[in-house]
C-alpha cells in the first residue's frame, strides 16, 4: 500500500514537472549573464576554457566554499570510520597480473592527472577532475597490495598546504587589486600553456587538495575492518 | 552524416543492446560485471566517434579519461567480488 | 504518428530519472540501495540543469581556433553542475561511511529493523518500558 | 542525432530501473556505473565536455571504487547466483 502511494506520488511529481518543463525554452536559453560572460571572459581572464574562468574567476569564492564542503565530507567520513583502522586480518594480495598491471598503470595515471590539471584553462578538465584521477592513481597500487598503507601525515600536509596556497593567492589579489581572487599576473597569449595569469596556479592548488582528500578518504574506507557475511 | 558514420552508429547501437541484455539477464554477478565493462569500452569508442562527428578534438579528452578510469573502477569491483578467497 | 520532438525526449528522460530516484529513495528497504537511488536523483537534476543551458547549434564553451565567433552554449549552468557532481561524490562517501557504522553497530542495514532497534535503544536509555508493537490492537498493549 | 539521443536515454532509464530492481547489490552498483556512463554521453551530445569529463572521472572511477569498497566492507560480496539463494542481507529488494 505504501509502495503504491509512493509510486503514485512519484508519477504525479514527474507529470507535474513535465508540464512545467514544457514551458521552458529548449535550445534558446534566455542567457543574459551567460552571454555577457561569453563576450568578455577571454579578454578579462585570458583562459580559453570559459567554464574554467567561471569556476575560478567569476565564482572563485564559491569554489572555496565547495572545497570546504568537500573537506568537511572527507573529514567527517574519516572521523566516522576512525576508530576501526586496525584490522585483524588484512585482505590477501592481488594476483600477479593485478600487481604488475597496477605498477604499470600508476605512472600513466599520474601523467594523465597532471595533464588534466595543468591544461585546465585550455581543454576540458581542471583541478577537480585531475584530483579525482590522482586519487585513483594512488589507490590503484593499494588495490593490489592491501597491506601497504598510504602515509597519512604526508597527505594531511599536502592538503593543508594546497588549501593555504589557494587562500594565499586570493588574499594577494585582495591586497594588490582590491578584489578577492581577482586574476593576477597578466593574461598572456590566449591558448598557450603559460597564460591566464593565476588561474592555472589556483587549479593546481585545487587539484592537489582534492586528490589528497579523496585518496585519504579511499585509504580510510579500504582500511576499515572487513566483515564476513 | 555519411554512410560510414551511420553504419558505425548502427553497429554501436546493436552492441549496446547486446550488452544491455546481458547486464539485465545475466545469471551471475560476474556476467553482469563483464557486461558493464563491455558497455564502458563501447562508450569509449562512441565518445571518440562523437569527437569525429563534431569535428572537435576537445571531446577526445573525455574518451581518454573515461577509458583510463573505467579500468580502475572495474578492477575495484572485481576485487570486491573476489571475496576472501586468496 | 509523428515521433515526439527531441526536447520532449530529453526533458522527459531527465524528469524520469528524478522520479525514479525519488521513488527508489522512499521505497528502498536497504540503506545501500537508497544511497544508490540518491545518486540517480542527483544525476537527473544535473541533466536538467545542463539541458537548461543548451543552445541549438551552439558549440562547447571553449575557445579553439576553429570555433571563434560561433554561438556557444551557456557556461554558467555547466560550472554549477561541475561543482554539484564533485560535491555529490563527497556526500555519497559520507553516507556510505555512516552506513558502515550503522552496520557495525546493528549488524544489518534493513531500514525497518534498524529503526526498531534504535527505538528500543532510546527507550532503554530513557528508562521506558519497551513498546511491543504499535500495530497490535489497543487491548493487548501493555498499558 | 534523434535516434542516438533516444538510444542513450533508453540505456539510462533501463540502467536506472536495474539499479532499483536488481536482485543483488553488486549488480546494482554495476548498473549505477552504466547510468553515469550513459549520462556522460548525453553531456557530450549537449556540448558540455567539462561536465562530461567530470561525470566520467567521478561516475566511472571514484564512485565505483567507493561503492565497491563499501560493499566489500559490508560483507555483501556474494557471487549471487540466481539459482542459489543469495546472502539474506544482500537480497533486499527495493
Amino acid at each position: 500500500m505504501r509502495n503504491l502511494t509512493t509510486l503514485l506520488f512519484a508519477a504525479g511529481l514527474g507529470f507535474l514537472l513535465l508540464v512545467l518543463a514544457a514551458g521552458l525554452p529548449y535550445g534558446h536559453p534566455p542567457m543574459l549573464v551567460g552571454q555577457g560572460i561569453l563576450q568578455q571572459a577571454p579578454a578579462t581572464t585570458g583562459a580559453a576554457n570559459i567554464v574554467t574562468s567561471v569556476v575560478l574567476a567569476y565564482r572563485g569564492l564559491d569554489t572555496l566554499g565547495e572545497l570546504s564542503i568537500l573537506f568537511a565530507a572527507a573529514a567527517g567520513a574519516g572521523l566516522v570510520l576512525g576508530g576501526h583502522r586496525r584490522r585483524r586480518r588484512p585482505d590477501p594480495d592481488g594476483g600477479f597480473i593485478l600487481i604488475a598491471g597496477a605498477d604499470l598503470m600508476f605512472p600513466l595515471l599520474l601523467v594523465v592527472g597532471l595533464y588534466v590539471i595543468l591544461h585546465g584553462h585550455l581543454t576540458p578538465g581542471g583541478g577537480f577532475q585531475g584530483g579525482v584521477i590522482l586519487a585513483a592513481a594512488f589507490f590503484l597500487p593499494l588495490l593490489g597490495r592491501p597491506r601497504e598503507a598510504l602515509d597519512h601525515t604526508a597527505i594531511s600536509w599536502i592538503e593543508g598546504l594546497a588549501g593555504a596556497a589557494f587562500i594565499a593567492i586570493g588574499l594577494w589579489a585582495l591586497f594588490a587589486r582590491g578584489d578577492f581572487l581577482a586574476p593576477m599576473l597578466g593574461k598572456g597569449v590566449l591558448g598557450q600553456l603559460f597564460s591566464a595569469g593565476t588561474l592555472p596556479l589556483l587549479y593546481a592548488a585545487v587539484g592537489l587538495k582534492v586528490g589528497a582528500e579523496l585518496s585519504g578518504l579511499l585509504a580510510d574506507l579500504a582500511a576499515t575492518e572487513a566483515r564476513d557475511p | 552524416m555519411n554512410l560510414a558514420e551511420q553504419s558505425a552508429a548502427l553497429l554501436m547501437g546493436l552492441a549496446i543492446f547486446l550488452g544491455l541484455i546481458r547486464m539485465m539477464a545475466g545469471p551471475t554477478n560476474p556476467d553482469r560485471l563483464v557486461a558493464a565493462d563491455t558497455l564502458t569500452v563501447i562508450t569509449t569508442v562512441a565518445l571518440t566517434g562523437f569527437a569525429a562527428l563534431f569535428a572537435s578534438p576537445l571531446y577526445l579528452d573525455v574518451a581518454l579519461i573515461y577509458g583510463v578510469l573505467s579500468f580502475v573502477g572495474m578492477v575495484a569491483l572485481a576485487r570486491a567480488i573476489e571475496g576472501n578467497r586468496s | 504518428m509523428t515521433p515526439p520532438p527531441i526536447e520532449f525526449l530529453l526533458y522527459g528522460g531527465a524528469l524520469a530519472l528524478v522520479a525514479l530516484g525519488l521513488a527508489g529513495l522512499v521505497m528502498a528497504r536497504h540503506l545501500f540501495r537508497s544511497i544508490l537511488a540518491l545518486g540517480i536523483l542527483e544525476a537527473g537534476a544535473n541533466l536538467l540543469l545542463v539541458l537548461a543551458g543548451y543552445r541549438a547549434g551552439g558549440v562547447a564553451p571553449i575557445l579553439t581556433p576553429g570555433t571563434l565567433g560561433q554561438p556557444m552554449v551557456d557556461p554558467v549552468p555547466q560550472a554549477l553542475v561541475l561543482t554539484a557532481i564533485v560535491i555529490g561524490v563527497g556526500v555519497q562517501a559520507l553516507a556510505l561511511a555512516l552506513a558502515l557504522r550503522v552496520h557495525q553497530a546493528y549488524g544489518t542495514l534493513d531500514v525497518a529493523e534498524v529503526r526498531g532497534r534504535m527505538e528500543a535503544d532510546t527507550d532503554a536509555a530513557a528508562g521506558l518500558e519497551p513498546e511491543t508493537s504499535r500495530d497490535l490492537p489497543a487491548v493487548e498493549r501493555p498499558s | 542525432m534523434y535516434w542516438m539521443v533516444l538510444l542513450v536515454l533508453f540505456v539510462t532509464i533501463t540502467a536506472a530501473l536495474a539499479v532499483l530492481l536488481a536482485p543483488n547489490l553488486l549488480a546494482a552498483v554495476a548498473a549505477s556505473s552504466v547510468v553515469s556512463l550513459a549520462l556522460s554521453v548525453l553531456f557530450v551530445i549537449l556540448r558540455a565536455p567539462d561536465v562530461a569529463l567530470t561525470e566520467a572521472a567521478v561516475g566511472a572511477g571514484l564512485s565505483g571504487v567507493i561503492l565497491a569498497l563499501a560493499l566489500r566492507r559490508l560483507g555483501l560480496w556474494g557471487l549471487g547466483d540466481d539459482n542459489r539463494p543469495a546472502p539474506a542481507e544482500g537480497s533486499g529488494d527495493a
Side-chain angles (χ1 to χ4, degrees):
Chain A
M1 188 59 211
R2 182 166 157 263
N3 283 357
L4 193 67
T5 330
T6 316
L7 274 183
L8 277 180
F9 173 68
L13 185 81
F15 181 71
L16 198 68
L17 287 174
L18 195 59
V19 169
L20 283 181
L24 289 178
Y26 169 78
H28 307 281
M31 40 189 283
L32 297 176
V33 178
Q35 201 64 54
I37 285 177
L38 279 179
Q39 274 164 8
Q40 53 166 291
T44 314
T45 64
N49 188 345
I50 298 178
V51 178
T52 293
S53 48
V54 173
V55 166
L56 284 182
Y58 291 92
R59 265 190 19 196
L61 196 63
D62 209 359
T63 305
L64 188 60
E66 181 196 2
L67 282 181
S68 36
I69 288 178
L70 207 59
F71 170 72
L79 199 68
V80 168
L81 295 174
H84 297 261
R85 196 168 287 162
R86 220 157 26 83
R87 297 154 66 185
R88 276 178 244 130
R89 192 158 47 88
D91 286 343
D93 274 356
F96 167 74
I97 295 180
L98 179 55
I99 292 178
D103 287 348
L104 261 177
M105 287 288 283
F106 175 69
L108 288 178
L109 277 173
L110 216 57
V111 167
V112 170
L114 289 178
Y115 160 76
V116 169
I117 291 178
L118 290 181
H119 287 244
H121 56 298
L122 301 178
T123 58
F128 295 107
Q129 296 91 328
V132 170
I133 298 170
L134 284 187
F138 279 101
F139 181 68
L140 190 57
L142 214 63
L143 212 56
R145 299 190 202 86
R147 288 193 184 82
E148 296 179 2
L150 283 179
D151 190 357
H152 274 272
T153 9
I155 287 180
S156 332
W157 271 103
I158 292 174
E159 188 182 336
L161 284 181
F166 191 93
I167 296 179
I169 294 174
L171 285 180
W172 176 40
L174 176 65
F175 286 124
R177 284 277 193 87
D179 287 323
F180 189 65
L181 284 173
M184 301 282 296
L185 285 181
K187 290 184 284 291
V189 183
L190 187 73
Q192 285 192 345
L193 182 55
F194 291 103
S195 66
T198 47
L199 294 194
L201 295 178
L202 286 175
Y203 245 169
V206 170
L208 284 181
K209 188 165 167 58
V210 170
E213 263 161 16
L214 291 180
S215 48
L217 180 70
L218 284 177
D220 273 348
L221 263 179
T224 46
E225 189 173 323
R227 194 189 166 96
D228 286 328
Chain B
M1 293 203 297
N2 57 27
L3 188 64
E5 286 163 353
Q6 275 174 350
S7 51
L10 185 69
L11 287 178
M12 262 182 262
L14 278 180
I16 285 176
F17 259 114
L18 292 180
L20 214 57
I21 287 172
R22 184 46 74 193
M23 198 192 76
M24 299 297 282
T28 60
N29 266 339
D31 289 333
R32 294 194 176 93
L33 274 192
V34 171
D37 194 25
T38 315
L39 282 177
T40 63
V41 174
I42 298 170
T43 307
T44 313
V45 180
L47 288 174
T48 325
F50 276 118
L53 196 60
F54 297 159
S56 163
L58 296 174
Y59 300 96
L60 284 179
D61 280 10
V62 185
L64 171 71
I65 306 300
Y66 199 90
V68 165
L69 275 189
S70 68
F71 167 76
V72 179
M74 282 300 154
V75 166
L77 275 174
R79 274 294 267 179
I81 215 176
E82 197 182 31
N84 272 348
R85 292 171 296 162
S86 52
Chain C
M1 176 187 164
T2 58
I6 192 168
E7 61 259 35
F8 182 80
L9 280 185
L10 284 167
Y11 276 115
L15 293 175
L17 279 184
V18 171
L20 271 180
L22 200 65
L25 194 59
V26 180
M27 282 182 355
R29 290 212 310 263
H30 199 269
L31 270 179
F32 200 89
R33 212 180 282 264
S34 33
I35 294 173
L36 290 178
L38 188 64
I40 293 180
L41 177 57
E42 204 182 276
N46 288 340
L47 184 55
L48 211 55
L49 277 176
V50 172
L51 262 177
Y54 179 66
R55 153 175 288 216
V59 297
I62 295 172
L63 292 171
T64 52
T67 61
L68 285 178
Q70 291 187 23
M72 287 180 169
V73 299
D74 196 347
V76 180
Q78 296 193 8
L80 194 67
V81 170
L82 200 149
T83 312
I85 290 175
V86 179
I87 287 187
V89 77
V91 168
Q92 195 179 39
L94 185 59
L96 281 174
L98 287 173
L100 278 178
R101 286 294 286 157
V102 168
H103 192 261
Q104 276 171 354
Y106 292 105
T108 177
L109 277 182
D110 191 272
V111 175
E113 207 169 324
V114 167
R115 185 193 295 149
R117 291 207 206 169
M118 278 182 176
E119 279 175 1
D121 278 359
T122 43
D123 282 354
L128 296 174
E129 287 288 315
E131 195 176 354
T132 49
S133 171
R134 289 188 191 144
D135 300 332
L136 286 180
V139 194
E140 297 179 21
R141 277 194 206 169
S143 54
Chain D
M1 194 50 76
Y2 185 85
W3 292 106
M4 281 187 217
V5 170
L6 195 62
L7 176 69
V8 178
L9 277 174
F10 175 74
V11 173
T12 316
I13 302 291
T14 315
L17 277 176
V19 169
L20 300 184
L21 303 176
N24 61 40
L25 287 173
L26 208 115
V29 171
S32 84
S33 98
V34 173
V35 170
S36 83
L37 161 167
L39 218 66
S40 166
V41 176
L42 271 180
F43 286 144
V44 164
I45 292 178
L46 290 174
R47 306 294 198 283
D50 265 296
V51 184
L53 193 57
T54 318
E55 181 72 39
V58 167
L62 199 68
S63 185
V65 172
I66 288 178
L67 289 170
L69 279 176
L71 268 187
R72 181 96 173 78
R73 296 306 154 217
L74 290 173
L76 301 179
W77 42 265
L79 280 180
D81 196 335
D82 281 357
N83 299 322
R84 274 180 296 157
E89 206 179 341
S91 61
D93 55 338

